[in-house]
Amino acid sequence: MAHKKIQSALISVYYKDGLEPIIRELHQHGVTLYSTGGTQQFIEELGIPVIPVEDLTFYPSILDGRVKTLHPKIFGGILARREEKHQAQLAQYEIPEIDLVIVDLYPFEETVASTSDEKTIIEKIDIGGISLIRAAAKNYQDVAIVASRNDYPFFLELIQSKQGSTALEDRKELARRGFLVSSHYDTAIFNYFNRGVQEPLFKHSLIQHETLRYGENPHQKAVFHGDLEQLFEKLGGKAISFNNMVDIDAAVALMREFLNDDPTFAILKHTNACGVATRPTVLEAWQAALQADNVSAFGGILISNTKIDLATAQAVDEIFYEVLLAPDFDPAAAELLVKKKNRILLKIKHFDVQARNFRSLLNGVIEQDTDLAIEAESDFKVVSKKAPTNAEIKDMIFANKCVKHLKSNAIALAKNAQLIGMGCGQTSRVDSMRHAIEKANRFGLDINGAVMASDAFFPFSDSVQLAHEAGVTAVVQPGGSIRDQDSVDYADAHGLAMVMTGVRHFKH
């Protein structure tokens, strides 16, 4: 494919880092440079000739820099097709052709992240830059566009290898990258203005990505769109897989509920917690969490709400796990744990959970508010004749946090701030109840005096009856069934305490 030599370039960028080698390469090939403001000064300080845009437009930068390049003599030189009719008009109005545009955009997203001052944010909405990108990308048949400093290395290698020229396929690829930049930028601006409005449309743009080893199964390909480095510092271990990512998401969401509690440790398998415990020390929390199900813990996801010390690391290191997450690690603990190369070690930077979540479904996407509700004692409505004791209330709060993060139909049994049994993902709630009891018994955990939490109402009193017969003394549930009274009556007849929260935590 024939190459087109770059003879003129407009360069106007916010970020100058990485620009110098490109400017020197263009100068070496005799390219005429046009520029504005700070970029013009940057080029001049390199000792390279540059023509101010004002010399073309005969207008200075006006309105506090809001208008610099928005002029027919700039956009005419970019948008003109290299054909007789357009060439004649360029000659008539003394408009020079522009073969290359290097421009970036004001840092809108970074500004939104760093300040809430609307005036400052609005001033970072780029007008000239976005227009230059779109114009040059539209005319890729004749014009090359470099729309981001991330593309500087690609473009530099291109003009070095092709002696200051570009091929049509190069310009089309640069146009594609340019429209990627502009579409992402516009989406970020729209989402800023759309905050709180929740217009029923789906607009998200995630540029950063990480290719995963494979998807849910080896024959499936997978990519994570997002920036893991914002959330975690990876201290060691193999590449994160699709299933790891899903489990990590579930683990962070669960542990977020316990951020303000004493040391808490959780073990998850296939997004469900099989062990959770709160204790005076992180080591004791680990031991109690493992006690609940030391079989499922094998190959699980481990997470703590506090720093991992050496003693805990030594205990954890005795079993095989996939991922261990914590807000921090003692140096000696980290040194020990990173020795196992197949075990992923993540330091959590923050436990933020997105306010909205979505997933692909049928031929579209379903989006909803994230379930961020969690009930405190003040949300408990005692519906039984017997009121729960203070100890039972504490365990009900604990169990309710756990059951919220189990797949429905979900049941959690807890005693002394320890998850001692759980049932989830069953087709009936009574099956989940049987499973929770069976697990507690299988691992030798005493259900007498335990509490039960349910993620949704009881359609019949059978689950409450099973719980009572196993030794449960208090129940927390959302209520909402037309037969709620059946469960309340059973509780009253057998001396159980029961509270309702009015909030369902059903999780498909």
Side-chain angles (χ1 to χ4, degrees):
M1 187 176 293
H3 293 173
K4 178 180 175 62
K5 184 168 178 59
I6 300 170
Q7 299 187 68
S8 60
L10 171 64
I11 307 175
S12 180
V13 297
Y14 188 87
Y15 295 106
K16 315 298 188 296
D17 46 310
L19 184 62
E20 180 179 346
I22 294 175
I23 292 172
R24 294 196 182 280
E25 187 71 21
L26 292 172
H27 177 61
Q28 180 181 331
H29 292 289
V31 177
T32 300
L33 304 181
Y34 300 93
S35 192
T36 64
T39 308
Q40 175 191 330
Q41 182 180 348
F42 177 81
I43 297 172
E44 289 171 341
E45 290 174 354
L46 296 177
I48 292 174
V50 57
I51 300 172
V53 164
E54 291 91 331
D55 288 0
L56 292 180
T57 64
F58 301 107
Y59 276 92
S61 172
I62 61 173
L63 305 178
D64 297 320
R66 285 188 168 195
V67 179
K68 295 192 288 280
T69 57
L70 296 168
H71 194 279
K73 285 209 169 185
I74 300 299
F75 282 86
I78 295 170
L79 284 166
R81 293 192 293 269
R82 276 41 170 182
E83 60 182 34
E84 184 177 348
K85 180 181 178 181
H86 282 196
Q87 295 289 303
Q89 290 183 51
L90 291 183
Q92 178 183 356
Y93 296 108
E94 298 181 339
I95 299 174
E97 293 180 0
I98 296 176
D99 304 316
L100 166 67
V101 174
I102 302 178
V103 64
D104 60 10
L105 302 173
Y106 293 156
F108 179 81
E109 288 180 283
E110 295 90 333
T111 304
V112 170
S114 64
T115 182
S116 59
D117 180 61
E118 186 159 273
K119 182 178 179 181
T120 301
I121 291 169
I122 297 303
E123 286 306 312
K124 287 298 183 289
I125 298 176
D126 205 311
I127 304 301
I130 203 83
S131 302
L132 290 168
I133 291 171
R134 293 176 64 85
K138 175 178 180 176
N139 204 24
Y140 70 87
Q141 292 282 348
D142 297 296
V143 179
I145 172 66
V146 180
S148 167
R149 56 180 170 170
N150 295 330
D151 291 330
Y152 287 176
F154 171 81
F155 181 71
L156 179 60
E157 182 180 352
L158 178 68
I159 57 175
Q160 285 175 336
S161 64
K162 296 184 177 178
Q163 299 297 306
S165 300
T166 62
L168 177 60
E169 61 185 9
D170 302 324
R171 297 190 295 277
K172 192 169 185 177
E173 168 60 18
L174 287 167
R176 183 192 70 82
R177 296 183 181 208
F179 284 123
L180 172 63
V181 170
S182 66
S183 63
H184 177 80
Y185 196 76
D186 284 340
T187 298
I189 293 170
F190 170 79
N191 285 336
Y192 171 77
F193 280 96
N194 197 47
R195 294 172 307 162
V197 177
Q198 293 187 356
E199 185 175 346
L201 52 79
F202 185 79
K203 256 189 184 306
H204 293 270
S205 178
L206 299 169
I207 289 180
Q208 289 183 287
H209 70 278
E210 181 175 337
T211 300
L212 305 177
R213 292 201 309 271
Y214 50 78
E216 212 162 0
N217 298 288
H219 64 278
Q220 297 170 265
K221 295 180 180 179
V223 177
F224 171 70
H225 297 281
D227 185 3
L228 282 180
E229 292 185 2
Q230 283 188 350
L231 303 177
F232 311 110
E233 178 185 350
K234 188 178 179 185
L235 302 181
K238 60 186 176 182
I240 298 174
S241 72
F242 177 97
N243 292 335
N244 290 156
M245 296 284 280
V246 176
D247 285 330
I248 288 168
D249 176 70
V252 171
L254 169 64
M255 194 52 67
R256 181 178 177 272
E257 312 287 2
F258 295 93
L259 281 186
N260 299 319
D261 293 2
D262 288 338
T264 300
F265 217 109
I267 305 168
L268 291 89
K269 198 72 172 288
H270 304 160
T271 75
N272 290 303
C274 55
V276 185
T278 300
R279 292 291 183 267
T281 69
V282 67
L283 176 59
E284 292 172 289
W286 158 249
Q287 292 168 334
L290 182 63
Q291 183 186 29
D293 187 346
N294 57 23
V295 175
S296 297
F298 181 85
I301 307 296
L302 317 181
I303 187 167
S304 168
N305 69 347
T306 191
K307 181 190 288 188
I308 302 294
D309 55 28
L310 178 58
T312 305
Q314 290 170 332
V316 168
D317 199 51
E318 293 177 2
I319 75 162
F320 172 73
Y321 57 86
E322 285 281 340
V323 185
L324 172 57
L325 305 97
D328 204 358
F329 297 84
D330 281 342
E335 183 180 357
L336 171 67
L337 294 168
V338 296
K339 290 179 181 178
K340 300 292 177 66
K341 302 301 181 184
N342 285 332
R343 302 178 190 181
I344 299 165
L345 197 65
L346 297 178
K347 181 177 177 179
I348 306 170
K349 295 179 180 179
H350 56 78
F351 284 82
D352 289 352
V353 175
Q354 295 192 68
R356 302 275 292 174
N357 63 68
F358 54 86
R359 59 179 291 186
S360 59
L361 196 70
L362 300 175
N363 63 346
V365 173
I366 189 167
E367 185 175 14
Q368 67 169 349
D369 294 334
T370 301
D371 183 3
L372 299 177
I374 193 64
E375 293 72 54
E377 181 181 353
S378 57
D379 300 304
F380 289 178
K381 178 184 177 182
V382 179
V383 293
S384 57
K385 293 177 181 178
K386 181 182 177 181
T389 66
N390 289 335
E392 287 172 334
I393 289 172
K394 289 180 180 179
D395 276 342
M396 283 193 289
I397 292 171
F398 177 93
N400 201 42
K401 291 178 180 179
C402 292
V403 81
K404 173 185 171 183
H405 296 275
L406 296 172
K407 293 292 180 66
S408 297
N409 295 301
I411 294 291
L413 301 179
K415 183 178 178 180
N416 299 326
Q418 179 187 28
L419 180 67
I420 62 171
M422 47 76 74
C424 61
Q426 303 299 312
T427 52
S428 72
R429 192 160 301 279
V430 71
D431 283 344
S432 290
M433 187 70 246
R434 291 190 181 102
H435 188 214
I437 294 169
E438 187 274 332
K439 285 201 72 171
N441 289 334
R442 179 153 48 99
F443 291 100
L445 298 169
D446 185 11
I447 302 177
N448 288 303
V451 307
M452 173 182 67
S454 176
D455 66 338
F457 62 68
F458 298 109
F460 307 101
S461 62
D462 48 4
S463 293
V464 180
Q465 179 179 346
L466 285 173
H468 165 248
E469 291 172 351
V472 167
T473 58
V475 177
V476 55
Q477 58 136 326
S481 169
I482 59 173
R483 301 186 62 169
D484 274 345
Q485 195 59 44
D486 290 358
S487 296
V488 175
D489 289 345
Y490 185 92
D492 287 341
H494 296 87
L496 273 71
M498 180 176 287
V499 305
M500 293 185 182
T501 65
V503 180
R504 190 182 80 176
H505 291 297
F506 206 74
K507 187 176 181 184
H508 271 283

